[in-house]
Amino acid sequence: MRRRVIDGRFELGERLGGGGMGLVWRAWDTALHRDVALKEVRPPDPAMDEHDPALARELRARVLREARALARLNHPHVVTIHHIVDEGEDAYPWLVMELVTGGSLQDRLARGPMPPSEAARLGREVLSALRAAHAVGIQHRDVKPANVLLRSDGRSVLTDFGIAAVRESSSLTATGSFIGSPEYMAPERINGHEGDPASDLWSLGMMLYVAVEGRHPLRRATTLATLAAVLNQAVPAPERAGTLGPVLLALLTRDPAARPDPATLD
């Protein structure tokens, strides 16, 4: 079967995954003879082009702007962007990225929780990636185990910054579906308050809580119940986190200003 080729160069292979902002494929770079990951950026609402073409154009521009900013980071714990395929304003861009083959943190946690020391090491790596992104004005908005990939040597890579291109105050699309993962979303973002990098730190804290405890403290049977729990219920003290426990609880405070600053957290 003939493979689809993007930009006359990248042969699409198997689909690796997908989320609110598009699909990710394994691809073969016919120019450099290497495997890469190719992200097909798509809006969360497929009808956006027809119903709100101005918003669709704005989304394309934001994706391109933030992809270029990320490409300049060259950070060891931020996924490397090799190339951007921009087919014009009538099409969404494709992001050509390094292929990380060690699976995700979600895959790792399916085998059981992490020791606190291992979680702390990973947390510092993800924090360093967030600090680099925040320094160039990019918030991630969807820090969760599925978006932390593991290289073969165990080092972590934060990926899927595409969600940061969507800045709707309610965090809802026109179809009413969530942008982001409610169980890892900071309370202030659920309430529609954007623009604070500390919101990414809540998500980091919740991810590390899940990593060491092996369970999510506020996940409920439905999305609405989970959102209500994140907004209103206290986070129970972790039982397996050891000396990491106070750090997690400091991050998981509902007042963004009360969370530790990145340098203190590190």
Side-chain angles (χ1 to χ4, degrees), residues 127 130-131 133-135 137-143 184-190 193-207 247-263 265:
L127 174 63
L130 289 172
R131 292 179 76 176
H134 293 166
I138 298 173
Q139 294 177 50
H140 189 281
R141 288 180 167 78
D142 200 23
V143 178
Y184 291 97
M185 191 180 292
E188 63 272 15
R189 282 190 173 145
I190 295 174
H193 300 295
E194 295 285 355
D196 193 335
S199 300
D200 279 342
L201 300 186
W202 166 286
S203 302
L204 173 62
M206 188 61 78
M207 182 178 76
V247 179
L248 300 180
L249 292 179
L251 285 173
L252 296 174
T253 181
R254 286 189 169 79
D255 178 5
R259 294 170 201 153
D261 65 83
L265 177 59

Side-chain angles (χ1 to χ4, degrees), residues 5 7 9 31-32 36 50 62 64 81 96 104 107 110 120 122 135 137 148 168 199 207 212 227 231 239 253-254 260:
V5 178
D7 201 32
R9 172 176 171 180
L32 295 179
V36 293
E50 179 183 351
R62 284 174 171 168
L64 287 170
I81 297 179
V96 184
S104 68
D107 299 328
L122 179 136
V148 176
E168 297 191 68
S199 300
M207 182 178 76
V212 294
L227 292 172
L231 285 173
E239 299 172 358
T253 181
R254 286 189 169 79

